[in-house]
Amino acid sequence: MEIRYTAIPAERLEAMRSAGHDELGNKWQLRVAEGWEPLRCCLRKADVDEDIALICYTPWESPSPWMEAGPVFVHHDACDGYAEIDRYPAVFLNNKAILNPFDHSGARAYDHITFLEPEDDHEQAVGDVLGQPDVAYLHARSGTAGCFHFLVRQA
Ligand SMILES: [Zn+2]
């Protein structure tokens, strides 16, 4: 199975930067990184003193009763995005995670929600969930804070 790990689309971020606010109206505001913040534009950890922004983001692109929006850190200015699209982003390995899957109609696939401990094989778990015939894609979220990390689907 070929799997694609997807960061926030660059075009959506660029539209927010030019508008001066995120899609929910929060100001696009410069913030100086402390060096622990996981960035959802390129799926790595921020370096100390990097220019970042804290925005509210929803991975949905059209209205849905399943839509959830929440806080994510991104680069303040455009970055190169995430290149290793077939690899589970290293910075999110060895963490507690939630794999939150959706079916082909866009409804949550409750039977396949998966909670991962740091020592679990995260890539294997993603493969197992996406291998279920009724699962179309999944959102990987923080297992401690619930924040959205990235979207995963079959290539
Ligand atoms: Zn970035």
Side-chain angles (χ1 to χ4, degrees), residues 95-150:
N95 286 314
K96 282 179 182 257
I98 305 168
L99 305 181
N100 190 22
F102 296 87
D103 71 15
H104 299 274
S105 76
R108 178 172 284 147
Y110 280 99
D111 290 348
H112 305 299
I113 295 172
T114 302
F115 294 85
L116 297 175
E117 292 297 321
E119 63 274 18
D120 291 336
D121 184 334
H122 289 40
E123 286 192 312
Q124 178 67 47
V126 163
D128 289 348
V129 172
L130 289 180
Q132 302 295 325
D134 51 333
V135 170
Y137 63 94
L138 67 85
H139 293 157
R141 291 180 172 271
S142 162
T144 50
C147 309
F148 174 76
H149 280 164
F150 50 85

Side-chain angles (χ1 to χ4, degrees), residues 13-15 35 80 106:
L13 288 171
E14 218 29 62
D80 291 335

Side-chain angles (χ1 to χ4, degrees), residues 39 41-42 75 79:
L39 300 169
C41 43
C42 45
H75 272 120
C79 68

